[in-house]
Amino acid sequence: MQIFLARNNVQAGPYTLDQLNIMLTSGEVVLDDLIWHDGLDQWQRVGNLTNNQTYYRPAPIVTADNNDSIINNVTIFPEDSASTTGQDDKAVSLDRLYGKPERPAENAKNSKVDMTTNRQYTPNSNVSLNKSGAKKISDNDKVVGDVVLAPIMSRVLATALNGLLYVLAIFPLVMALTKMDVDYTKFQNIQDMDAAYQYSMTLMESIPSSTLMMSQVMVFGLFALQLVFITLRGQSLGKLITGIRVVDQTTHRLPSFTKLIGMRTLLLFIIYNLLFSFTSFLGFVVIIVHYYMASKSPENIGWHDKLAKTLVVKADSSQLVKKPKVK
């Protein structure tokens, strides 16, 4: 679908539907702008088609016979249509459309052009119009509204990286335990958890206090750092490295503090600690089930996401911006 926009009798386009929704979300396109595409019999206010929402989901297209007369209803600035270098001189500056200072003339060829001279132009769908730097979309990507879902393997890698960071944090403790004669059978009897706890306390007392303190500082430091990044960016360190983020299923912005910290962090931390305390096998099975559910879901939703009503997507800085209010 080719979509054209107009503001103050100046027009630009065509855009794809994804590009329009990105610009709506970022505020580059406002609800009072005019819009036309195949199937509309006249220019209409953007907000009238989106029900004053910053997301457009068009109805099935009905082809009209008077398309040319429709797009010719918007005028062009005379200086923009001066015919000194052919059709490229009819390009209408996107800066002019959105009321910004004009860019240098040499960049005119890169500007969005007038509808009447650009009907056959197919924009590159991989070029992001979001100034925040949206990720490029490939053929294998799943797109939901204005976000690109994170690949399952990126999520698995992020989880593995978080696990590796935890192992590194407790590495001094692990090295100290390897030098001791540990009776692992004490931890295998689930019915006698008291004995396992008492034995673990005995082991801790046998470890040098400097080693124990170093491990505690590293673990709590890692945990604090994870909380800061999750709260401010919706990303654990693993997700930050892999370029993915947790967003709300509805707004596609950072989830609430309750969802991010309460549901997706602390609750999951408790659940997995209990699972791994009984048996590591059970903990890994639950993780595998989560990613299996996500791989079978159209929106890559596993049980973590169902619990918190979140999505995991490719990170884009626009997701950190509060959704613009409809005036």
Side-chain angles (χ1 to χ4, degrees):
M1 173 187 290
Q2 291 188 334
I3 298 174
F4 299 92
L5 300 170
R7 182 187 294 175
N8 298 328
N9 264 7
V10 185
Q11 59 203 29
Y15 301 106
T16 65
L17 181 59
D18 285 337
Q19 288 172 333
L20 170 64
N21 283 323
I22 288 173
M23 291 191 292
L24 274 170
T25 302
S26 67
E28 283 187 276
V29 173
V30 298
L31 298 179
D32 287 330
D33 288 341
L34 298 179
I35 184 175
W36 179 88
H37 58 73
D38 286 339
L40 298 180
D41 57 357
Q42 61 183 353
W43 287 90
Q44 296 194 36
R45 179 178 171 270
V46 172
N48 292 345
L49 295 184
T50 65
N51 292 323
N52 287 326
Q53 302 298 313
T54 55
Y55 182 74
Y56 182 38
R57 184 181 291 105
I61 295 175
V62 178
T63 303
D65 294 331
N66 58 342
N67 292 341
D68 289 335
S69 62
I70 293 170
I71 65 169
N72 285 328
N73 286 338
V74 178
T75 59
I76 308 301
F77 283 95
E79 59 269 31
D80 289 327
S81 58
S83 55
T84 57
T85 59
Q87 284 190 342
D88 285 343
D89 288 331
K90 294 184 179 180
V92 174
S93 166
L94 188 58
D95 292 325
R96 183 191 292 277
L97 177 62
Y98 293 122
K100 302 173 185 176
E102 293 287 345
R103 297 181 221 188
E106 56 268 22
N107 292 333
K109 291 183 179 180
N110 296 325
S111 301
K112 296 299 174 182
V113 301
D114 169 53
M115 300 177 194
T116 59
T117 62
N118 201 28
R119 294 295 303 281
Q120 304 302 320
Y121 173 69
T122 302
N124 183 353
S125 61
N126 285 335
V127 177
S128 169
L129 296 183
N130 189 339
K131 291 182 179 179
S132 305
K135 294 287 183 181
K136 291 184 178 180
I137 301 173
S138 69
D139 294 337
N140 296 325
D141 284 331
K142 292 182 181 179
V143 180
V144 176
D146 57 349
V147 295
V148 181
L149 297 179
I152 299 298
M153 289 311 299
S154 293
R155 297 174 62 175
V156 172
L157 179 59
T159 300
L161 288 171
N162 285 328
L164 178 61
L165 290 172
Y166 178 74
V167 170
L168 291 175
I170 64 171
F171 187 73
L173 183 61
V174 172
M175 291 301 296
L177 288 173
T178 58
K179 297 176 181 179
M180 300 171 61
D181 186 16
V182 180
D183 184 5
Y184 292 100
T185 60
K186 298 281 189 182
F187 301 101
Q188 293 175 356
N189 187 2
I190 298 176
Q191 295 179 347
D192 195 2
M193 296 301 296
D194 253 353
Y197 176 76
Q198 292 299 329
Y199 183 65
S200 65
M201 289 296 99
T202 302
L203 290 176
M204 291 298 106
E205 291 171 0
S206 303
I207 296 174
S209 58
S210 58
T211 301
L212 196 58
M213 181 173 293
M214 182 185 299
S215 288
Q216 289 175 340
V217 169
M218 291 176 68
V219 169
F220 283 113
L222 174 64
F223 189 65
L225 195 60
Q226 293 277 34
L227 284 179
V228 168
F229 276 93
I230 291 171
T231 303
L232 299 180
R233 301 183 60 86
Q235 295 172 298
S236 63
L237 294 176
K239 286 184 172 64
L240 182 67
I241 294 169
T242 54
I244 61 179
R245 170 179 288 124
V246 176
V247 297
D248 188 274
Q249 285 184 11
T250 304
T251 64
H252 294 173
R253 294 294 188 275
L254 279 187
S256 65
F257 182 83
T258 302
K259 287 183 178 180
L260 268 179
I261 302 302
M263 303 297 288
R264 281 199 67 104
T265 304
L266 297 181
L267 182 59
L268 290 181
F269 180 79
I270 293 171
I271 290 173
Y272 280 110
N273 263 282
L274 289 174
L275 291 172
F276 279 99
S277 66
F278 284 110
T279 168
S280 297
F281 175 77
L282 184 58
F284 284 117
V285 167
V286 175
I287 292 175
I288 291 170
V289 168
H290 167 67
Y291 286 119
Y292 178 78
M293 288 177 60
S295 68
K296 296 299 180 182
S297 166
E299 296 183 341
N300 291 0
I301 294 177
W303 72 267
H304 297 177
D305 310 300
K306 283 183 178 294
L307 184 68
K309 295 183 180 179
T310 55
L311 294 174
V312 182
V313 302
K314 288 188 176 182
D316 181 329
S317 56
S318 67
Q319 296 150 3
L320 302 176
V321 181
K322 289 184 178 180
K323 202 160 189 175
K325 295 180 180 179
V326 178
K327 295 182 179 181

